Amino acid sequence: MQISSRFTMAVHTLLCIEYFGKTEKVTSDFIAASVGTNPVIIRKLLIQLKAAGLIQVKRGTGGTALEKPLSDISLYDVYHAVDCVGGDLLFHFHEHPCPQCPVGRKIHIGLDDKLHQIQDAMEDKMRSISLADVALPMWDTVPVK
């Protein structure tokens, strides 16, 4: 199990937009240099973040801006926006447990609900942490819109 690195790159991207947005034109090239990845990857993230209503992308002159304050964007919002897990399931179950095996035939009965509980708990915790909470230890004051 591993959540895609798109999640941490998206958080990094949103924090760059907030931190530099008042003094710099924050483009995919600018963000990519900070994240340490290809601008094409950042552009794909920006499309997802825009579709989720977290950012606006300025055409023509370029640049991006947040649609709402960091305190109103949760880690879950970012996680959900960039579709970090396929089919909304964090855990991918092995495809073919043996129906003749007493464990294999009942593994879903014993494990499915537990895995859903774990994912629900993680997502609830993510909803309780804002990007402002993440930014606070990184810089002295969080820019306020």
Side-chain angles (χ1 to χ4, degrees):
M1 162 191 76
Q2 187 175 32
I3 294 174
S4 165
S5 63
R6 287 189 313 268
F7 171 68
T8 54
M9 287 191 292
V11 170
H12 189 143
T13 294
L14 292 166
L15 293 174
C16 275
I17 292 168
E18 180 64 24
Y19 191 84
F20 294 107
K22 306 251 186 311
T23 59
E24 307 279 338
K25 182 165 63 167
V26 185
T27 64
S28 57
D29 288 330
F30 183 95
I31 296 166
S34 178
V35 173
T37 193
N38 189 298
V40 172
I41 293 170
I42 298 300
R43 282 193 280 282
K44 289 177 184 177
L45 281 176
L46 293 174
I47 289 168
Q48 292 176 304
L49 295 170
K50 182 177 186 232
L54 300 178
I55 64 167
Q56 56 182 267
V57 178
K58 300 170 188 161
R59 297 232 179 244
T61 60
T64 56
L66 296 182
E67 284 286 1
K68 46 184 146 178
L70 291 179
S71 59
D72 292 344
I73 303 172
S74 72
L75 289 179
Y76 179 80
D77 295 332
V78 179
Y79 167 80
H80 188 68
V82 297
D83 193 27
C84 288
V85 294
D88 287 334
L89 295 176
L90 182 60
F91 298 96
H92 181 75
F93 221 100
H94 50 287
E95 300 290 328
H96 306 287
C98 178
Q100 290 77 36
C101 172
V103 175
R105 117 175 113 243
K106 301 223 176 175
I107 190 68
H108 282 284
I109 293 168
L111 194 51
D112 284 356
D113 185 56
K114 311 301 183 281
L115 296 178
H116 286 290
Q117 289 176 34
I118 292 166
Q119 182 170 345
D120 290 345
M122 182 197 78
E123 290 176 356
D124 286 345
K125 185 64 177 175
M126 292 177 92
R127 285 181 185 94
S128 75
I129 301 171
S130 74
L131 289 186
D133 297 326
V134 175
L136 197 55
M138 293 173 44
W139 53 75
D140 294 335
T141 60
V142 177
V144 179
K145 282 192 169 189

